[in-house]
């Protein structure tokens, strides 16, 4: 591994457990890190990973002075909560060169790492999301204003001219909406690619400028676009295939059953390939290789990744709601004051400039805050899975310039 965030895959097929020197966790080590050479021989039956007991015993040698916890020290330092006989309780000591400790992460550490990166590197993170969100929302406001305003309401729906006018207007509106969706897609891809690079450097404790993030992300942008379009196309094909029997038979119940069956399948596939984006960006891989990597990394951890992703979605949705809804309500109230009940009935109150602009301002603020959190959680989930399966903590420590880390490092001091 090199010092750049473009992490290479360690070994020919690391997710299949073929990485030389990597441990599967059954030898009592955490994150696949083997015990120090020449150290104590552990019994074959060890506590499950993450469950730590006090090493102190009544027959222990005379106690040395206990090491006091360092003020403000986190899990990355050797000071920790003292158990009976001076033993260590809680999580094992771990180096923390950046925003996360170099060991398997829990939910709180993943969320904290995403927020800490946004807080520490805000000069780089927030301008990226602010520019992307502003461009997307400006185009969205223009599309909504002029597309919805042009939707004709025929005074005589039965006349041929009115129907033709309605279909022509609807076709133009669909083109505008598709163009708006394409702009949102491009903006999201650019922001995701650059944020991925920033988060990968933050894990190592390195800063990153906007120019550096762009230069590192740019070579993979077309592949990331291809990956996003491939996943979207796959989802559309699955829905159409499951709805097709009901459509051909003209049976609404069969069509509804197909749609209901498509939902869990789409969720399962979305989580299965949720780590493809960071794999493609950080390993500089192809689209197909990134899909395979994500499938291997998620295997056996689907429910855990689903829970973390779902909770992140709920948090970001709540944050967005408390920002957007009050501004949208104020805009709607202004539109109501201008057009009255008639404006609410025909929709002009919701498509007035006040309502659209205030809603867009709220959306820009919300996306500027929530986009880094969502991207950060995805990147840190990818890092966490590689630490658990491939001992990526060794590679990260080496890239961060840490000394005495790994199999040949001296054991950390204990209080007993």
């Amino acid at each position: 591994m090199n010092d750049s965030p473009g992490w290479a895959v360690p070994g020919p097929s690391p997710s299949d457990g073929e990485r030389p020197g990597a441990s599967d966790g059954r030898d009592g080590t955490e994150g696949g890190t083997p015990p120090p050479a020449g150290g104590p021989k552990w019994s074959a039956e060890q506590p499950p990973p993450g469950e730590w007991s006090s090493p102190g015993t009544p027959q222990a040698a005379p106690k040395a002075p206990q090491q006091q916890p360092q003020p403000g020290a986190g899990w990355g330092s050797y000071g920790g909560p003292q158990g009976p006989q001076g033993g260590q309780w809680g999580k094992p000591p771990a180096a923390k060169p950046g925003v996360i400790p170099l060991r398997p992460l829990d939910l709180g550490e993943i969320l904290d790492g995403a927020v800490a990166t946004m807080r520490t590197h805000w000069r780089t993170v927030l301008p990226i999301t602010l520019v992307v969100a502003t461009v997307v929302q400006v185009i969205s406001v223009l599309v909504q204003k002029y597309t919805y305003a042009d939707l004709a309401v025929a005074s005589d729906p039965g006349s041929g001219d009115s129907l033709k006018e309605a279909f022509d207007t609807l076709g133009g509106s669909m083109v505008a909406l598709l163009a708006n969706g394409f702009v949102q897609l491009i903006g999201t891809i650019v922001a995701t690619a650059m944020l991925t690079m920033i988060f990968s450097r933050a894990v190592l404790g390195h800063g990153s400028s906007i120019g550096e993030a762009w230069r590192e992300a740019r070579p993979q942008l077309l592949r990331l676009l291809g990956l996003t379009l491939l996943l979207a196309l796959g989802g559309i094909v699955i829905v159409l295939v499951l709805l097709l029997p009901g459509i051909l038979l003209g049976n609404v119940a069969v069509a509804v059953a197909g749609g209901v069956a498509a939902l869990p399948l789409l969720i399962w596939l979305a989580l299965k390939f949720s780590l493809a984006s960071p794999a493609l960006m950080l390993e500089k891989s192809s689209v197909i290789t990134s899909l395979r990597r994500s499938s291997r990394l998620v295997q056996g951890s689907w429910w855990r990744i689903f829970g973390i992703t779902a909770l992140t979605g709920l948090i970001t949705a709540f944050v967005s709601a408390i920002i957007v809804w009050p501004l949208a309500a104020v805009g709607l109230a202004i539109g109501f004051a201008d057009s009255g009940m008639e404006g609410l009935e025909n929709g002009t109150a919701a498509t007035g400039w006040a309502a659209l602009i205030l809603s867009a301002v709220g959306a820009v603020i919300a996306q500027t805050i929530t986009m880094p959190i969502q991207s950060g959680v995805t990147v840190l989930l990818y890092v966490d899975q590689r630490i658990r399966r491939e001992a990526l903590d060794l590679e990260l420590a080496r890239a961060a310039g840490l000394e005495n880390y790994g199999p040949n490092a001296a054991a950390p001091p204990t209080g007993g």
Side-chain angles (χ1 to χ4, degrees):
M1 175 170 179
N2 51 33
D3 289 339
S4 72
W7 301 326
V9 184
S13 182
S15 293
D16 297 331
E18 297 177 1
R19 184 181 187 277
S23 170
D24 59 359
R26 291 175 294 181
D27 55 359
T29 61
E30 185 71 13
T33 304
K41 305 298 183 181
W42 298 99
S43 169
E45 297 184 4
Q46 290 295 314
E51 299 180 8
W52 301 89
S53 58
S54 169
T57 60
Q59 292 79 19
K63 293 189 295 183
Q66 294 185 358
Q67 180 179 357
Q68 297 299 323
Q70 298 292 331
W75 293 116
S77 60
Y78 291 130
Q82 299 292 325
Q85 310 297 331
Q88 296 284 336
W89 276 357
K91 297 182 180 181
K96 189 178 180 181
V99 294
I100 58 170
L102 299 185
R103 55 166 169 73
L105 307 174
D106 58 28
L107 168 63
E109 289 166 339
I110 290 175
L111 292 174
D112 179 69
V115 175
T117 302
M118 184 173 64
R119 184 176 61 247
T120 305
H121 305 284
W122 64 270
R123 289 181 178 86
T124 305
V125 172
L126 295 186
I128 293 173
T129 55
L130 178 61
V131 169
V132 170
T134 301
V135 171
V136 168
Q137 290 303 318
V138 167
I139 296 176
S140 179
V141 166
L142 295 176
V143 169
Q144 291 180 66
K145 176 64 179 177
Y146 293 108
T147 298
Y148 295 158
D150 290 341
L151 288 176
V153 180
S155 57
D156 184 6
S159 65
D161 293 339
S162 298
L163 289 176
K164 184 178 183 301
E165 182 181 356
F167 278 117
D168 290 342
T169 304
L170 182 61
S173 301
M174 291 300 298
V175 172
L177 291 175
L178 288 175
N180 181 42
F182 182 75
V183 171
Q184 292 187 18
L185 175 65
I186 297 300
T188 302
I189 287 175
V190 171
T192 299
M194 296 178 68
L195 290 174
T196 299
M197 296 305 176
I198 294 171
F199 274 94
S200 67
R201 284 182 169 270
V203 169
L204 303 176
H206 300 164
S208 180
S209 66
I210 296 177
E212 290 172 340
W214 169 250
R215 285 191 297 270
E216 292 168 353
R218 184 174 54 188
Q220 293 293 98
L221 285 179
L222 287 180
R223 290 182 177 180
L224 184 59
L225 175 61
L227 172 65
T228 305
L229 294 177
L230 179 61
L231 292 175
L233 180 61
I236 294 173
V237 170
I238 290 174
V239 173
L240 291 179
V241 168
L242 292 178
L243 291 178
L244 190 59
I247 296 175
L248 294 178
L249 295 174
N251 192 317
V252 177
V254 175
V256 171
V260 171
L263 181 60
L265 181 58
L266 291 176
I267 294 176
W268 179 74
L269 289 174
L271 268 295
K272 183 180 180 66
F273 300 123
S274 61
L275 304 184
S277 173
L280 182 142
M281 296 300 302
L282 298 178
E283 298 176 14
K284 312 299 183 185
S285 60
S286 64
V287 173
I288 301 301
T289 302
S290 66
L291 291 173
R292 292 173 180 167
R293 286 285 287 145
S294 178
S295 177
R296 294 193 191 103
L297 290 172
V298 173
Q299 186 177 8
S301 302
W302 191 93
W303 283 108
R304 177 175 178 273
I305 295 175
F306 170 78
I308 295 175
T309 304
L311 181 60
T312 303
L314 289 175
I315 293 173
T316 54
F318 177 75
V319 172
S320 298
I322 62 176
I323 295 173
V324 174
W325 287 358
L327 292 174
V330 172
L332 191 61
I334 295 175
F336 174 75
D338 292 339
S339 57
M341 288 299 299
E342 183 180 355
L344 291 178
E345 293 175 356
N346 58 27
T348 57
T351 57
W353 282 114
L356 291 176
I357 291 175
L358 287 176
S359 297
V361 169
V364 167
I365 298 173
Q367 290 179 6
T368 301
I369 296 173
T370 59
M371 195 183 300
I373 296 177
Q374 292 174 321
S375 298
V377 168
T378 302
V379 173
L380 295 181
L381 274 173
Y382 163 83
V383 174
D384 174 58
Q385 288 301 110
R386 288 196 61 183
I387 289 177
R388 292 171 182 269
R389 293 176 179 269
E390 304 167 4
L392 183 65
D393 54 324
L394 300 179
E395 306 290 340
L396 294 175
R398 189 154 45 246
L402 299 182
E403 298 180 356
N404 298 325
Y405 187 94
N408 299 321
T414 60

